[in-house]
């Protein structure tokens, strides 16, 4: 299996949005995460994803489910976090090329 490609701007924006949503829960997140773990049987390990760690689509879906936000609303927040992530014909492919060059 090859090394996972990481688009830094995307990873940072996702982490930042998760961190903001996490903080918006006013400190009750740990007990809620424990309840979610008991109910669903999956520990989300949210701490890992607030520090620029790549997240899989499945894990992101579970995090959004836990934080009670749709994926579409989540990604709108991600695009607002970093405008470079919005599609633009003039910059098409630049972030992807940059990520693959670092690989």
């Amino acid at each position: 299996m090859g090394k996972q490609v990481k688009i830094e701007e995307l990873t940072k924006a996702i982490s930042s949005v998760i961190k903001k949503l996490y903080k918006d829960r006013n400190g009750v997140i740990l007990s809620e995460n424990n309840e979610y773990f008991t109910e669903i049987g999956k520990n989300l390990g949210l701490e890992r994803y607030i520090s620029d760690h790549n997240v899989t689509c499945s894990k992101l879906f579970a995090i959004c489910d836990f934080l009670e936000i749709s994926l579409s609303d989540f990604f709108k927040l991600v695009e607002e976090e970093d405008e470079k992530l919005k599609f633009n014909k003039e910059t098409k492919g630049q972030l992807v090329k940059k990520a693959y060059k670092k690989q």
Side-chain angles (χ1 to χ4, degrees):
M1 181 186 235
K3 185 178 176 187
Q4 190 177 35
V5 175
K6 184 175 182 177
I7 298 174
E8 291 180 24
E9 295 83 354
L10 177 60
T11 303
K12 285 180 182 178
I14 287 173
S15 294
S16 180
V17 170
I18 290 172
K19 193 180 303 184
K20 287 176 183 175
L21 293 171
Y22 186 95
K23 285 182 179 179
D24 287 347
R25 300 299 279 255
N26 296 323
V28 295
I29 203 93
L30 184 58
S31 62
E32 288 179 353
N33 190 29
N34 290 339
E35 288 173 23
Y36 190 86
F37 175 73
T38 301
E39 183 181 337
I40 306 298
K42 182 70 181 155
N43 185 340
L44 297 175
L46 287 172
E47 318 73 45
R48 166 189 256 176
Y49 301 103
I50 59 174
S51 61
D52 298 340
H53 189 281
N54 252 359
V55 61
T56 64
C57 290
S58 297
K59 180 64 84 162
L60 184 58
F61 181 81
I63 290 169
C64 287
D65 184 58
F66 170 70
L67 294 171
E68 299 174 346
I69 185 171
S70 69
L71 283 170
S72 57
D73 288 341
F74 180 85
F75 279 112
K76 286 176 188 171
L77 294 173
V78 169
E79 286 182 334
E80 289 172 10
E81 189 68 30
D82 189 337
E83 292 285 325
K84 290 182 281 183
L85 297 170
K86 287 186 178 182
F87 178 75
N88 180 334
K89 282 188 178 189
E90 294 175 16
T91 59
K92 180 180 178 182
Q94 289 180 359
L95 294 176
V96 176
K97 281 184 208 175
K98 181 177 148 188
Y100 277 91
K101 275 186 181 179
K102 287 186 175 186
Q103 189 180 28

